[in-house]
Amino acid sequence: MAAHRKPKQRPYTGPAARTAATLAFAGAATAAVLPGPAHADPQRTPAQVKAEVDRLYHDAEVATEQYNGAKEKAAAAEDAVDTLRDEAARRTERLNASRDALGSFAAAQYRTGGLGTSVQLALSSDPDQYLERASYVDRIGDRQAAALNKVRRQVARIATLRSQAKGELAALAARRAELKKHKATITAKLADAQRLLDRLSPPERTAYENSDHGSADGARADRSTARGSVRAPNARAAEAVAFAYGALGRPYVWGATGPSSFDCSGLTQAAWRSAGVSLPRTTYTQINAGRRVSRSELAPGDLVFFYSGISHVGLYIGNGQMIHAPRPGAPVRIAPVNHMPFAGATRVA
């Protein structure tokens, strides 16, 4: 009977054991990634898509304001470089003129300086005339020394200007690198948001558009009936509000300051610029461009800011409403102030 027994299987050892383990792991991994009801990712609901898109748009707006700030600083650095270069060029022209004059002095001295003054006096047939000429030569020497000192000062100043220009060029390069980084962040966030929106059905997309930062009706509101009953506190504020009403329906474009498109801080800057008031470019600098006011004190023309990082701004128009540029795909529109987390308000004038 022993001859008919089934041979006893021995456990794998060495390379055979490693091979068996590898095959078993590969099989388990393959089974884990096979599609099936138990492993399928749950599809996001429209509410979840909206929440994620809102987050992406908010992140893009934060990066947009950082981009705007970097762009403003880059423009200032570029202006500084141009100014320093222009001044260096002008001073180089004056330096060349001074060097020409100094060369003339040196040539005159060479022509008349071959003999010592005592020898020239001894050989002179007219001592009085010689003494007069000697006095003139001394004055030339004084002017030559002054011209030489002038050249030295000009050379030193030009060297300083070139050093300053080099520093400004380095700052400009850093600002341009910062611009590139923020631009890449913005475009990536917006692309991710668009991919999510493309998953929505047309009715879901319409519902999202109408619920996001004010309704589409606010962008098409009649200018004569949309204005609130609250009057602006002064003529400049009234002019800024009038500009904002005139911008209703204009598209949002990040980095834009008008007249055909705006981002949020670009709209408020343009509105107050139309009233003769210059505002800084970004939300986080505009909030310090006037007197802070509480929410209960709001009057038409005030700037209203949102989120903890001061990343969004609108122009208050009264009755709890503002005009703002919400985000890409949402044109300039009227929206309630309580639609977003309120962070503060500023009265410009």
Side-chain angles (χ1 to χ4, degrees):
M1 293 183 62
H4 297 285
R5 286 179 182 171
K6 191 175 183 179
K8 188 176 181 180
Q9 292 183 346
R10 298 180 179 177
Y12 292 118
T13 59
R18 287 194 295 271
T19 302
T22 301
L23 292 172
F25 177 79
T30 303
V33 298
L34 286 176
H39 300 287
D41 291 335
Q43 187 174 3
R44 297 187 188 188
T45 65
Q48 290 171 329
V49 171
K50 180 184 184 305
E52 180 64 12
V53 169
D54 285 346
R55 184 190 67 79
L56 289 168
Y57 278 141
H58 177 256
D59 291 347
E61 191 164 44
V62 171
T64 295
E65 291 306 309
Q66 293 170 338
Y67 172 89
N68 291 338
K71 186 176 181 181
E72 191 173 45
K73 291 176 181 177
E78 194 166 0
D79 289 343
V81 169
D82 290 341
T83 299
L84 289 169
R85 283 174 170 170
D86 290 344
E87 185 178 356
R90 289 193 299 270
R91 287 184 176 272
T92 299
E93 290 179 0
R94 291 199 291 268
L95 172 63
N96 291 335
S98 298
R99 282 174 169 167
D100 290 342
L102 189 61
S104 299
F105 287 142
Q109 185 178 19
Y110 175 80
R111 288 192 299 269
T112 61
L115 296 174
T117 54
S118 58
V119 176
Q120 291 184 44
L121 178 60
L123 296 177
S124 175
S125 59
D126 188 346
D128 292 334
Q129 185 179 13
Y130 167 77
L131 292 174
E132 183 179 349
R133 284 202 308 269
S135 176
Y136 175 72
V137 169
D138 288 340
R139 289 197 301 271
I140 291 178
D142 292 339
R143 288 200 299 272
Q144 183 178 356
L148 183 59
N149 289 332
K150 182 179 180 180
V151 167
R152 288 171 177 164
R153 290 193 301 269
Q154 288 173 330
V155 169
R157 179 56 182 160
I158 290 171
T160 300
L161 289 172
R162 288 175 175 168
S163 177
Q164 291 173 342
K166 184 178 180 180
E168 291 294 342
L169 282 171
L172 180 58
R175 298 304 180 194
R176 285 175 173 167
E178 190 178 359
L179 281 173
K180 186 177 181 180
K181 181 188 72 173
H182 292 316
K183 183 177 181 178
T185 299
I186 295 165
T187 54
K189 298 288 185 184
L190 295 181
D192 289 343
Q194 188 61 51
R195 280 191 290 270
L196 285 173
L197 288 173
D198 289 342
R199 298 179 185 178
L200 298 177
S201 66
E204 290 169 344
R205 181 71 175 267
T206 300
Y208 173 79
E209 296 293 343
N210 287 339
S211 67
D212 185 54
H213 299 89
S215 68
D217 292 338
R220 297 189 294 268
D222 181 77
R223 274 48 170 183
S224 61
T225 60
R227 297 175 186 271
S229 59
V230 182
R231 297 184 61 182
N234 55 62
R236 284 185 171 181
E239 183 64 28
V241 170
F243 181 96
Y245 272 104
L248 287 173
R250 303 284 174 84
Y252 177 103
V253 174
W254 65 269
T257 59
S260 58
S261 59
F262 304 90
D263 63 17
C264 69
S265 56
L267 174 63
T268 52
Q269 185 187 52
W272 273 101
R273 184 169 59 238
S274 73
V277 177
S278 177
L279 290 183
R281 179 62 183 92
T282 64
T283 52
Y284 50 84
T285 51
Q286 286 184 6
I287 196 171
N288 297 317
R291 178 174 65 86
R292 297 287 186 92
V293 293
S294 67
R295 191 165 180 170
S296 61
E297 297 176 294
L298 287 174
D302 290 347
L303 303 178
V304 283
F305 299 89
F306 303 92
Y307 300 104
S308 59
I310 317 297
S311 59
H312 192 75
V313 62
L315 190 76
Y316 189 71
I317 58 174
N319 296 320
Q321 303 286 307
M322 67 176 174
I323 294 176
H324 72 145
R327 58 161 183 79
V332 176
R333 58 181 57 179
I334 296 172
V337 170
N338 62 7
H339 188 79
M340 292 174 285
F342 186 81
T346 294
R347 182 157 301 158
V348 177

